[in-house]
Amino acid sequence: MYPWQQAAWTQLQQMRERLPHAILFHGPAGTGKADFLETFAQSLLCENVRPDGHACGECASCGWFVQHNHPDYRRVRPEALEDEPAPDGEEGGEGKARSTKAPSKDIKIEQIRALADFMNISTHRQGLRVVVLYPAEALNMPASNALLKTLEEPPPGTVFLLASNSLDRLLPTILSRCRKFALPMPAHGEALAWLKEQGVADADSWLREQGGAPLAALAEAEGGSREEMEALLHFLARPSTDGALRTAEKLAKAELPALVAWTQRWLYDVFSYKLSGNIRYFPRYQKELAALAGRVHTASLMRAIKGTSERRAVADHPLSAKLFVEDMLLEYTSCCT
């Protein structure tokens, strides 16, 4: 668990006496929600919980949990997030066939249906049965409907712990059947101090560029390259039709959600500078942002911001990555020139 989560952890302990059957933890991406869920799940299964609510780390249950084989625990994530080998036999005879495909970014209905047997047998240690699922917005529609049926009639002794980066991407019916619990963004100073403890150079810039999310900043810093971001920012600072086409060619293989997010942050900085003279994400581009803010109409900025927000909803599944980037950059050019 991270330093900025301590207050939330203390607040969460007040719910343990009357634990809801489903808790939906929500907050910005890159702040450690998944680790928070795993920590809470282990504590719910622990046989000798400490006074502060943390797992003892010594009982048999904790040992199984750390080894990822606790019989009363299941974790549901998209294939693309799985970094641990599946248990023997889990993939059946189709394992090799599936391994040749790109890992899915969705949580599929088969993963929800696979929980049925787990929830219909008695628990191994006569305690709780815990299911962790994240990110909840990765549920495709069939999976969402299957999960909804389970949440409507929750099995006794079962607790669902879900995490979401974006509540507006979840079915309202799922939201209504979960107790929502906010995990806020850490203060800039606290996050910056933690990044410096991890040995991140230029920590302030990395943190600002990732919107204040420390884990996202750490991941980007460890990647060691700003090449794609810099190519995009260079274009955004000096937009043109020819530049849009060249930049789209260069960024066709980049992560599209990241490109959209960087564009959204850039537009926010232009808008913020125009209204208040403040820059949040890219202060090292102050000169270029100031120049854009001085010549772009507010209505054009609002139109560009709305356009990128709409693109974020389809960035994970574009028909053509190159055309997606081209269209986004050309629309930006038309609004900002």
Side-chain angles (χ1 to χ4, degrees):
M1 205 170 68
Y2 302 99
W4 56 87
Q5 296 176 331
Q6 189 55 54
W9 179 264
T10 301
Q11 180 185 354
L12 183 62
Q13 303 317 304
Q14 300 172 8
M15 299 172 58
R16 292 189 70 136
E17 290 187 8
R18 300 185 64 181
L19 198 64
H21 73 278
I23 307 176
L24 175 58
F25 298 86
H26 61 95
T31 55
K33 292 188 300 299
D35 292 321
F36 190 90
L37 262 69
E38 300 277 354
T39 300
F40 188 48
Q42 182 177 354
S43 76
L44 291 177
L45 294 167
C46 177
E47 299 169 16
N48 188 25
V49 180
R50 288 164 26 186
D52 61 2
H54 284 280
C56 70
E58 299 175 353
C59 66
S61 181
C62 285
W64 293 332
F65 191 93
V66 170
Q67 296 170 23
H68 307 290
N69 60 6
H70 197 294
D72 299 328
Y73 174 71
R74 292 292 184 275
R75 180 175 61 187
V76 182
R77 304 185 298 178
E79 292 175 0
L81 292 183
E82 290 294 348
D83 53 7
E84 298 160 9
D88 290 343
E90 183 173 290
E91 292 186 342
E94 298 177 352
K96 290 185 179 179
R98 282 204 300 269
S99 66
T100 62
K101 300 179 181 178
S104 173
K105 296 180 179 180
D106 290 344
I107 294 175
K108 301 178 180 179
I109 189 172
E110 292 82 7
Q111 293 173 272
I112 304 302
R113 287 176 174 168
L115 296 173
D117 291 341
F118 167 67
M119 294 186 294
N120 289 329
I121 60 175
S122 59
T123 59
H124 186 78
R125 307 291 282 190
Q126 289 73 53
L128 290 173
R129 186 185 295 109
V130 180
V131 178
V132 161
L133 185 150
Y134 62 84
E137 57 269 21
L139 287 157
N140 62 25
M141 188 55 68
S144 292
N145 290 328
L147 178 64
L148 178 60
K149 292 179 181 178
T150 301
L151 296 179
E152 287 175 338
E153 299 179 6
T158 301
V159 177
F160 284 84
L161 306 178
L162 296 81
S164 174
N165 303 323
S166 181
L167 292 183
D168 60 358
R169 295 174 64 190
L170 301 181
L171 289 178
T173 43
I174 287 182
L175 293 175
S176 67
R177 286 162 176 78
C178 299
R179 175 80 65 83
K180 290 183 279 294
F181 190 96
L183 291 174
M185 185 80 76
H188 184 83
E190 188 174 28
L192 183 59
W194 181 81
L195 282 174
K196 289 180 177 179
E197 288 176 3
Q198 313 312 308
V200 174
D202 197 17
D204 186 69
S205 290
W206 287 112
L207 184 61
R208 289 182 183 278
E209 290 165 0
Q210 296 304 315
L215 297 188
L218 178 63
E220 290 297 320
E222 289 179 340
S225 175
R226 282 191 173 105
E227 184 177 347
E228 290 177 346
M229 179 191 291
E230 292 298 340
L232 177 65
L233 296 182
H234 181 78
F235 162 77
L236 296 177
R238 303 168 185 83
S240 67
T241 300
D242 288 345
L245 299 177
R246 289 195 303 270
T247 305
E249 180 78 30
K250 187 180 299 184
L251 298 177
K253 295 183 179 180
E255 289 289 331
L256 299 184
L259 295 181
V260 176
W262 294 333
T263 304
Q264 286 177 309
R265 291 167 190 164
W266 176 271
L267 287 167
Y268 177 88
D269 271 352
V270 177
F271 189 69
S272 178
Y273 193 89
K274 189 175 187 67
L275 295 185
S276 64
N278 293 322
I279 295 175
R280 178 181 179 185
Y281 298 105
F282 304 110
R284 57 197 176 90
Y285 277 86
Q286 180 173 347
K287 180 180 177 181
E288 293 85 350
L289 288 164
L292 274 171
R295 70 171 188 262
V296 177
H297 293 293
T298 302
S300 297
L301 272 176
M302 296 299 293
R303 191 163 61 250
I305 290 169
K306 180 182 178 182
T308 52
S309 296
E310 292 171 349
R311 290 181 193 284
R312 179 61 189 90
V314 297
D316 288 320
H317 304 286
L319 294 177
S320 165
K322 181 181 176 182
L323 290 178
F324 179 94
V325 180
E326 274 187 8
D327 194 45
M328 181 177 72
L329 299 188
L330 289 170
E331 183 177 88
Y332 170 86
T333 300
S334 69
C335 290
C336 298
T337 54

